[in-house]
Amino acid sequence: MTDTPSTCPYCGVGCGVIIESEGAQITGVRGDPAHPANFGRLCSKGATLHLTATAAITQHARLLQPMHRPLRGGPLQPAVWDNALDAIADQLTATVQTHGPDAVGFYVSGQLLTEDYYVFNKLAKGLLGTNNIDTNSRLCMSSAVAGYKATLGADAPPACYDDLNHAHTVFIAGANPAWAHPVLFRRLEDARRANPAQKLIVVDPRRTETAQLADLHLQILPGSDVALCHGLLHLMLWEGWTDTAFMAAHTSGFEALKARVRDFTPKDTARLTGLKEADLLQAARWFANVDGSSGASGARLPTLSLYCQGLNQSSSGTAKNAALINLHLATGQIGKPGAGPLSLTGQPNAMGGREVGGLANLLSAHRDLANPAHRAEVARLWGLDLQARDVPSQPGKTAVEMFQAAADGEIKALWIACTNPAQSLPDQAMVRRALERAELVIVQEAYSTTATARFADWLLPATSWGEKDGTVTNSERRISRVRAAVAGPGQTRHDWAIATDLARRLEARLRPGAATLFPYDSAESVWLEHRETTRGRDLDITGMSYPMLDAGPQQWPLPEGQTGGRARLYADGRFETDDGRARFLDTPFVPLAEPRDARYPFSLTTGRLRDQWHGMSRTGNLGRLWGHQPEPSVDLHPQEMTRLGLKDGDLVQLSSRRGLLVLPAASSDAVALTQAHVAMHWGDEVLQGLDAQGQSSGGINRLTSPVFCPISKQPELKHTAVKLQKAELPWQLLAAAWLCEGEALALRSQLQAVMGQFGYACCVPFGHEQHGVLLRAAAADAPPPERVARIEALFGLGPERTDALRYDDRRRHRSRAMGLVRDGDDARLQAFVLAGDIRAEAWVKALLMQRLPAQAYGRLLLMPDAQAPLALVPRGRQVCTCFNTSAPMIEQALAGTAGTEADRLAALQGKLQCGTQCGSCLPELKRLVKTCVVAG
Ligand code: SF4
């Protein structure tokens, strides 16, 4: 077995992993104890990475060779790399020569490595001469970039993870790290254990797992964050808790902000945010942390802020970021251990993309496109000056603008790399118009199963985690090496190499005879050029090298001559502005762009699940990662469920101004009244349905709004005004089967064609060790019998399965098919299809999923009105992914344990082991310990 140190490809915590491999196969993964982000820990997603790289997944879900679709809507045909790149280069050249370079758009990804990003950025801005390159990081952190630059003068997170150990108050706003950044949350738990006096404030419209552990949960109205921050500043001023000496020495622009926050009295702030005045005062006191105000004595104690999409994904995202940073500047809570505003990046390398300037308005090494001197510097560094050329000055189209321009016919060619815009961008109707209207769509991907792949004219197979070589930067400015444990499968190639090969072909067509701008022969050769662009900049990494990073990750800046990176920025009070002073940003509170109203009375919020990652092209293949949330749902407050006449599982139609979506309702007291919550992950890879116009659902982003922050251009994915009504889809179908891994993957792919024929359909994997597939569908009217027969056949219950038990009532459009397999002296249910009547769902599902002896149930399996057998109790929701422990198992174990909460948790873990491996379920276990009573 070979060990290869690398980095987790999921969230921005950037955990170090050790990949275990044998020959060409990745066989295991464990946390890297030497990596300073995680010290050996991994969450449920990171700990299962090796299971996403099995031979079966490679065969059924990976893109293994270039593919061409000669006719739109037609089948794909295999292609040869050289021919594919030549044909694409020809088409791109023709597009540029006919319509100009701005007719081409590149949409790339925060999951690319820094080296990949660098080549794409240079290809677009340096070679083609268009700034139309943007990234899914626009959906993730462009408001954080704009907020930092507007206040601190540079896009540089000033704090680090270790600050959790020094902070006296941790202020988490618009983030749910318990689920979205779990290993960082483990570090917060450690810090709180070591310092029980540490205060935790959580600002979130939902009572998330993170909020449930807070000392103070500020359950604000969606979109009211700026009002909250202004209100807190008002209170700090009134109480004398600001740091006037720090402001006088190190900041500018406070007077205008001071005048603005005068109007944000506690009473008005409470009205705007939906919070209590007393809670506002408490939050202001704990944030300011002046002598005595936090209950501690001595000098001002440090406050650390962590924030993410709740502030960023907003039509006033920059204002929200700046308003929070204003609080740090007003209280001097920056540049010292335990203090500072630390934005959490959602993606593994959103930071690396920022460093190379891989956004439509940025240039390499934090340079600005709008600055002629910066453009000239980059032109020189890239060698453009030798060809008497400059970088174009016109800002490129940002993510939503780029797809809108393609939908309008302005952009003719789209090159999409390592991202799935047909799932993740808002306003999917517009995005799909863009993908259909563009004359050339190139999708460079590791997976063949994404929604976007269906729109591609060309599919170019890319390497993925475990196969790539390069670097990524995490949320605390720490650059880590990514290394290949195995070679990429099939004909996959590295992203930087694909971009380089295409760039050279474009050079030959557009600038014949000129020396190449892309002389790279390895990831390191790309990185060395990138490194040189940082010389003298705030993120100077000229003191780093691949060998140094191989020995251990480093934080930037690390200029030449220094031996280690800088943990914290601005310790000397000098900021990256012209006068060295941080700037207060006087920003108005602007209400939501699309507020709730009488027609759309609910505010729909979106967020991440604990065990899934983004569009789920990787995590979505593992049944065990579906145990915690087995199927999609819309979460509603229990009172709203009652008011709408809904019970758990009822199908609900959600409509926004842009489209509709059907989902099962789930009661949740984490969601406030007049709000609804849906996970961000559901695309039409798992969820489909037809609306009144016969359009397939397009997932959650069929509903969301393309409106964006005017400064950061980050769209408002966190709020959509919607209406809800019970969906009238009385005919229902439920099918499930155990299969081998390859068969399960193939079945899910085949079911894609069927799902869109129903008013609602979802298809998900299940199973911890084995591989199951579940299909749920519903329709207004019974479908033709052939459709049900088709589903039975796909689940292996077609006519050729002569031993299947069957019931068929054509008149009432009901049928059942049950496939049992012998298991010693008994039999087990291997597959079933319940059509037209799924009242037996609970016990039939339990029989199959728990692999219980089924022989005794005989014909009961076919009786529509059979009562649920007492012995068949559903297992319940999985809480611990590592040890496959369900909520009822935990509740039963806790009923027999007494003592303090810590004692009960320890006893529970001793008994069931839950929460003893990755720890992602610990917040939920602690909550269950609190709520489960000890049996009499
Ligand atoms: Fe990966 Fe989890 Fe670490 Fe994020 S917290 S980097 S998903 S292991």
Side-chain angles (χ1 to χ4, degrees):
M1 187 177 78
T2 306
D3 280 353
T4 308
S6 188
T7 309
C8 174
Y10 294 129
C11 84
V13 177
C15 296
V17 297
I18 306 227
I19 307 172
E20 300 162 2
S21 60
E22 285 181 30
Q25 185 59 52
I26 290 173
T27 53
V29 66
R30 60 185 197 274
D32 182 349
H35 197 288
N38 57 317
F39 299 106
R41 282 171 162 155
L42 294 177
C43 75
S44 54
K45 298 178 283 276
T48 48
L49 268 166
H50 58 297
L51 300 176
T52 68
T54 61
I57 289 177
T58 301
Q59 184 188 342
H60 290 278
R62 290 290 299 273
L63 184 60
L64 296 173
Q65 68 179 111
M67 303 293 280
H68 181 220
R69 197 188 316 271
L71 277 177
R72 283 279 166 93
L76 287 161
Q77 296 176 355
V80 175
W81 264 115
D82 276 345
N83 296 350
L85 292 177
D86 281 339
I88 293 167
D90 285 343
Q91 280 184 273
L92 283 176
T93 301
T95 302
V96 169
Q97 289 174 339
T98 308
H99 304 286
D102 287 339
V104 180
F106 293 83
Y107 188 59
V108 298
S109 169
Q111 284 159 73
L112 289 173
L113 307 188
T114 301
E115 294 75 3
D116 303 322
Y117 243 129
Y118 183 87
V119 179
F120 269 115
N121 197 40
K122 188 173 175 183
L123 164 56
K125 294 171 183 168
L127 174 60
L128 288 185
T130 178
N131 289 321
N132 283 346
I133 175 164
D134 217 50
T135 148
N136 59 10
S137 297
R138 180 72 60 185
L139 316 182
C140 172
M141 36 59 9
S142 55
S143 296
V145 175
Y148 278 137
K149 288 175 76 167
T151 52
L152 310 182
D155 173 24
C160 61
Y161 299 163
D162 180 54
D163 283 320
L164 287 168
N165 299 321
H166 304 279
H168 193 73
T169 296
V170 178
F171 185 87
I172 299 179
N176 182 14
W179 282 15
H181 300 90
V183 168
L184 190 63
F185 199 73
R186 300 283 85 74
R187 294 183 64 162
L188 174 64
E189 288 170 338
D190 291 347
R192 284 168 67 72
R193 209 173 297 120
N195 175 17
Q198 187 184 70
K199 301 294 182 212
L200 175 62
I201 305 170
V202 174
V203 183
D204 201 304
R206 276 192 307 142
R207 191 153 176 75
T208 60
E209 289 285 1
T210 306
Q212 294 192 32
L213 290 189
D215 298 297
L216 178 62
H217 175 203
L218 300 177
Q219 194 164 13
I220 55 165
L221 294 170
S224 62
D225 310 72
V226 170
L228 169 65
C229 290
H230 285 359
L232 295 180
L233 185 52
H234 177 108
L235 278 163
M236 290 171 189
L237 283 164
W238 181 261
E239 299 288 345
W241 292 337
T242 56
D243 187 335
T244 48
F246 180 87
M247 284 195 285
H250 304 296
T251 69
S252 64
F254 187 64
E255 285 311 308
L257 180 63
K258 186 176 175 185
R260 180 173 304 278
V261 303
R262 194 171 294 137
D263 294 338
F264 287 79
T265 62
K267 190 170 171 204
D268 285 332
T269 305
R271 178 178 53 78
L272 292 168
T273 59
L275 299 172
K276 293 188 195 122
E277 290 182 44
D279 287 347
L280 294 170
L281 184 63
Q282 182 70 287
R285 175 181 285 120
W286 284 352
F287 192 110
N289 257 333
V290 292
D291 185 13
S293 70
S294 62
S297 58
R300 187 185 292 266
L301 294 164
T303 295
L304 177 73
S305 294
L306 305 175
Y307 50 102
C308 198
Q309 311 307 1
L311 299 196
N312 295 346
Q313 291 179 332
S314 164
S315 55
S316 53
T318 307
K320 287 181 179 180
N321 273 262
L324 176 56
I325 296 171
N326 284 341
L327 294 181
H328 282 272
L329 296 177
T331 51
Q333 294 282 13
I334 192 166
K336 58 188 181 185
L342 179 60
S343 76
L344 301 177
T345 41
Q347 299 202 77
N349 197 31
M351 286 287 288
R354 289 146 77 166
E355 290 157 18
V356 303
L359 286 159
N361 54 326
L362 300 177
L363 277 177
S364 288
H366 290 176
R367 291 178 177 86
D368 277 324
L369 202 55
N371 184 327
H374 285 185
R375 290 201 305 279
E377 280 172 24
V378 171
R380 181 181 55 75
L381 288 160
W382 281 352
L384 303 185
D385 59 339
L386 302 176
Q387 299 176 8
R389 290 193 292 133
D390 197 357
V391 177
S393 59
Q394 180 74 18
K397 301 252 188 274
T398 60
V400 172
E401 294 171 320
M402 184 181 294
F403 280 81
Q404 186 64 61
D408 294 343
E410 195 184 326
I411 284 184
K412 311 283 184 192
L414 279 171
W415 188 337
I416 298 159
C418 196
T419 183
N420 188 11
Q423 188 275 332
S424 55
L425 277 172
D427 193 4
Q428 277 296 308
M430 177 273 285
V431 171
R432 283 149 194 253
R433 272 202 314 281
L435 290 166
E436 282 162 5
R437 185 161 185 191
E439 293 167 11
L440 175 62
V441 177
I442 303 148
V443 175
Q444 182 171 321
E445 246 300 341
Y447 290 90
S448 59
T449 48
T450 69
T452 308
R454 283 180 239 141
F455 294 88
D457 300 307
W458 289 94
L459 279 167
L460 303 180
T463 47
S464 186
W465 175 83
E467 302 151 9
K468 297 185 75 159
D469 184 45
T471 55
V472 289
T473 309
N474 72 3
S475 298
E476 59 168 353
R477 294 173 280 107
R478 192 178 297 279
I479 300 178
S480 294
R481 285 280 280 121
V482 169
R483 290 189 192 79
V486 295
Q491 297 178 35
T492 54
R493 301 189 61 197
H494 299 315
D495 288 286
W496 69 264
I498 299 170
T500 296
D501 268 11
L502 195 93
R504 289 179 188 159
R505 282 170 163 82
L506 288 169
E507 283 179 319
R509 286 159 176 77
L510 292 167
R511 304 184 186 283
T516 183
L517 301 175
F518 301 85
Y520 318 119
D521 56 8
S522 65
E524 187 174 12
S525 65
V526 179
W527 186 82
L528 289 171
E529 186 176 306
H530 158 61
R531 182 180 73 171
E532 194 52 34
T533 69
T534 70
R535 188 176 293 280
R537 305 287 304 162
D538 67 301
L539 74 166
D540 192 328
I541 57 168
T542 49
M544 291 187 200
S545 64
Y546 263 29
M548 175 191 256
L549 294 170
D550 284 338
Q554 292 288 344
Q555 283 173 285
W556 59 254
L558 201 168
E560 197 168 13
Q562 293 188 7
T563 52
R566 202 176 306 155
R568 290 173 196 89
L569 306 180
Y570 313 129
D572 58 358
R574 271 202 71 76
F575 293 87
E576 293 289 332
T577 53
D578 291 343
D579 60 4
R581 288 171 173 268
R583 296 180 290 248
F584 282 100
L585 195 71
D586 167 29
T587 175
F589 164 55
V590 180
L592 288 164
E594 187 185 270
R596 294 187 304 116
D597 57 19
R599 249 184 99 203
Y600 296 98
F602 281 82
S603 174
L604 171 70
T605 61
T606 60
R608 291 165 197 248
L609 294 175
R610 191 191 73 186
D611 295 344
Q612 296 291 356
W613 171 252
H614 281 199
M616 304 186 297
S617 49
R618 186 183 283 277
T619 53
N621 289 326
L622 299 189
R624 68 168 66 196
L625 293 184
W626 286 83
H628 194 239
Q629 166 98 24
E631 294 180 48
S633 67
V634 51
D635 296 344
L636 293 165
H637 190 279
Q639 284 180 34
E640 299 290 10
M641 295 279 286
T642 305
R643 197 172 62 75
L644 293 164
L646 298 170
K647 57 185 189 318
D648 277 345
D650 282 350
L651 292 172
V652 184
Q653 185 172 294
L654 289 86
S655 316
S656 77
R657 289 177 171 82
R658 288 155 295 280
L660 66 81
L661 183 66
V662 175
L663 280 169
S667 178
S668 167
D669 50 17
V671 181
L673 288 166
T674 73
Q675 292 177 29
H677 179 77
V678 177
M680 60 165 305
H681 310 287
W682 314 129
D684 58 13
E685 295 93 332
V686 294
L687 178 69
Q688 290 196 29
L690 295 174
D691 64 17
Q693 285 74 46
Q695 297 287 312
S696 125
S697 79
I700 176 64
N701 288 314
R702 178 67 78 172
L703 305 178
T704 50
S705 165
V707 66
F708 50 67
C709 167
I711 301 168
S712 71
K713 309 278 181 88
Q714 182 157 355
E716 185 145 75
L717 288 162
K718 281 289 177 190
H719 159 81
T720 307
V722 295
K723 64 182 169 193
L724 290 109
Q725 64 188 92
K726 196 168 178 174
E728 298 303 334
L729 300 170
W731 190 91
Q732 300 203 5
L733 177 144
L734 185 74
W738 289 115
L739 300 154
C740 74
E741 188 179 16
E743 290 169 343
L745 289 158
L747 174 58
R748 284 175 53 216
S749 164
Q750 290 163 327
L751 287 169
Q752 290 282 315
V754 179
M755 289 164 66
Q757 298 170 344
F758 292 95
Y760 169 77
C762 86
C763 176
V764 295
F766 63 87
H768 200 256
E769 301 298 335
Q770 288 91 13
H771 305 280
V773 174
L774 179 141
L775 171 73
R776 185 185 296 280
D781 302 303
E786 312 82 75
R787 197 179 298 165
V788 176
R790 170 83 182 126
I791 291 169
E792 287 178 352
L794 288 171
F795 276 82
L797 294 169
E800 72 286 351
R801 179 90 181 249
T802 51
D803 64 340
L805 303 177
R806 295 181 195 281
Y807 152 85
D808 196 352
D809 182 344
R810 288 268 166 132
R811 192 177 57 80
R812 293 201 288 172
H813 307 288
R814 292 175 174 179
S815 63
R816 284 190 186 184
M818 302 275 169
L820 291 104
V821 287
R822 288 240 58 84
D823 185 12
D825 293 338
D826 211 306
R828 291 181 202 274
L829 190 57
Q830 179 266 329
F832 70 79
V833 176
L834 306 178
D837 178 0
I838 63 165
R839 282 174 294 169
E841 168 177 349
W843 67 269
V844 173
K845 234 168 74 177
L847 198 59
L848 182 133
M849 291 188 172
Q850 293 168 46
R851 294 176 166 267
L852 300 171
Q855 182 84 38
Y857 295 99
R859 301 206 65 77
L860 199 63
L861 291 167
L862 300 181
M863 288 171 57
D865 301 322
Q867 294 292 309
L870 287 178
L872 293 180
V873 180
R875 186 172 175 279
R877 195 170 52 82
Q878 175 183 289
V879 174
C880 173
T881 301
C882 301
F883 293 100
N884 195 17
T885 320
S886 70
M889 290 163 72
I890 292 165
E891 284 157 3
Q892 195 184 5
L894 284 170
T897 53
T900 65
E901 288 178 7
D903 291 344
R904 294 182 77 202
L905 179 63
L908 174 72
Q909 293 185 314
K911 196 167 181 181
L912 299 178
Q913 289 185 281
C914 48
T916 56
Q917 193 158 304
C918 82
S920 290
C921 63
L922 275 171
E924 191 166 353
L925 293 181
K926 287 177 186 166
R927 183 160 47 78
L928 288 169
V929 166
K930 269 197 175 77
T931 53
C932 288
V933 289
V934 183

